[in-house]
Amino acid sequence: MKIEVIDTGFFYADGGAMFGAIPKTAWRRRYPSDEANGCVLAMRTLLVTTDDGRTILIDTGAGDKHLRYLSYYRFFNLIDLTEALAQRQILPGQVTDVILTHLHFDHCGYCTRYNADGKPVVTFPNARHWVSQAQWSNFLTPNALEKDSYFPENILPVEEAGLLQLVTEKTALCPAIDLHLFDGHTPGQLVPYIHTPERTFVFAGDVIPLAASLSPEWISAYDTYPVTSYNEKLRLLEQAAREHQAILFCHDAYTTCTTVKKTGKSYKSLENIQA
Ligand SMILES: [Zn+2]
């Protein structure tokens, strides 16, 4: 099995929003920001090729359909995910599975692209797209706070093509990958646990987007249910520390993957891991 991190691009998020109630005097020591208080965030995709012939993508970045509308986020160094796959001799039709941690625009944008007629069509026509039932329901009838984070054209063509695979409980996608469910940031986030002979990698998505978010109470203002985020983070981190799992951060522009250790009531990065 091979695991590869692909950075699909970067954007600026407001530091105050990223760290919620934590004052800047505290977070500035753990995450840099510019004069406009913008923090550079990555949008990581994971490419996993398994021994049983699967080619799996985990999250697909913001894509290229809404960049002008989203210009507030100052995107830069964007790549075309299909070109990045082509460089690795992978055609879109060869992707067997796309795991979507959730359906906010910065995680599922490349699931569709505009064709010559300006119509959104699926990018990976043979892939099962794994989404939790809870996240799908939340997407179909979004609450007022998350409504602007969802773009129907990112995912409705996937459903119309019959490629949506809804998950209601912890599920084994294949022998090497389990999908766990976590709430908080948004309902029913899928967190893939990828088991290799050396260790288990946890693609934490927006449950723990940055290494600085390892502190359980460092919760983003984008989280819809912050108390739930706190409890869910502890659930993830307790197991990760106990079992020496490596956490992959989808949004941290400076730290990609670390093991974690418990320090009193909090958690810290222990060792950088090459994924
Ligand atoms: Zn999100």
Side-chain angles (χ1 to χ4, degrees):
M1 186 166 63
K2 197 173 156 206
I3 301 174
E4 202 179 340
V5 173
I6 300 176
D7 275 316
T8 66
F10 299 85
F11 65 101
Y12 286 85
D14 183 79
M18 283 311 292
F19 297 107
I22 305 303
K24 186 170 183 183
T25 46
W27 65 254
R28 72 189 298 181
R29 283 180 271 149
R30 288 166 60 179
Y31 209 87
S33 60
D34 67 5
E35 64 286 345
N37 223 29
C39 293
V40 173
L41 298 197
M43 291 184 290
R44 291 206 172 95
T45 284
L46 217 59
L47 170 62
V48 184
T49 41
T50 67
D51 297 337
D52 57 353
R54 287 171 188 270
T55 301
I56 302 169
L57 289 173
I58 303 175
D59 279 352
T60 62
D64 58 5
K65 298 187 301 299
H66 306 101
L67 296 178
R68 193 180 298 199
Y69 177 76
L70 296 167
S71 62
Y72 158 82
Y73 291 102
R74 295 187 278 151
F75 291 96
F76 65 97
N77 287 359
L78 293 166
I79 61 154
D80 183 319
L81 183 55
T82 55
E83 278 175 21
L85 294 175
Q87 286 162 9
R88 295 161 174 83
Q89 278 74 52
I90 298 170
L91 295 169
Q94 292 174 311
V95 175
T96 57
D97 302 88
V98 177
I99 302 166
L100 298 168
T101 59
H102 61 302
L103 300 174
H104 290 166
F105 66 83
D106 51 326
H107 294 262
C108 65
Y110 262 118
C111 291
T112 62
R113 52 196 323 169
Y114 288 135
N115 67 9
D117 301 327
K119 192 172 163 278
V121 293
V122 295
T123 310
F124 307 106
N126 299 317
R128 282 190 292 175
H129 292 61
W130 299 77
V131 176
S132 85
Q133 175 69 60
Q135 179 61 194
W136 182 248
S137 301
N138 193 60
F139 161 78
L140 290 178
T141 50
N143 60 63
L145 297 185
E146 288 183 70
K147 206 167 190 284
D148 288 349
S149 299
Y150 290 132
F151 293 116
E153 56 272 36
N154 278 342
I155 199 72
L156 283 185
V158 172
E159 193 225 6
E160 285 156 13
L163 296 172
L164 201 59
Q165 181 82 34
L166 294 178
V167 176
T168 55
E169 58 189 353
K170 184 184 160 192
T171 299
L173 187 153
C174 63
I177 302 182
D178 293 318
L179 305 175
H180 295 229
L181 284 99
F182 287 88
D183 291 322
H185 172 65
T186 183
Q189 294 162 95
L190 286 184
V191 173
Y193 282 60
I194 307 152
H195 309 293
T196 73
E198 295 78 38
R199 68 175 74 247
T200 294
F201 289 90
V202 181
F203 191 87
D206 281 353
V207 180
I208 306 176
L210 313 170
S213 328
L214 286 170
S215 300
E217 70 278 15
W218 287 42
I219 292 165
S220 145
Y222 297 118
D223 283 29
T224 324
Y225 307 95
V227 176
T228 306
S229 292
Y230 176 87
N231 292 324
E232 291 287 76
K233 248 202 252 192
L234 285 183
R235 179 162 73 92
L236 189 153
L237 287 167
E238 274 166 16
Q239 187 189 12
R242 193 175 61 238
E243 299 182 13
H244 310 292
Q245 295 169 341
I247 298 184
L248 279 149
F249 305 105
C250 68
H251 283 312
D252 196 314
Y254 311 97
T255 305
T256 302
C257 185
T258 69
T259 52
V260 294
K261 65 173 176 187
K262 194 168 187 182
T263 52
K265 284 183 182 163
S266 192
Y267 288 85
K268 277 201 174 96
S269 292
L270 178 62
E271 181 194 0
N272 284 320
I273 303 292
Q274 189 72 38

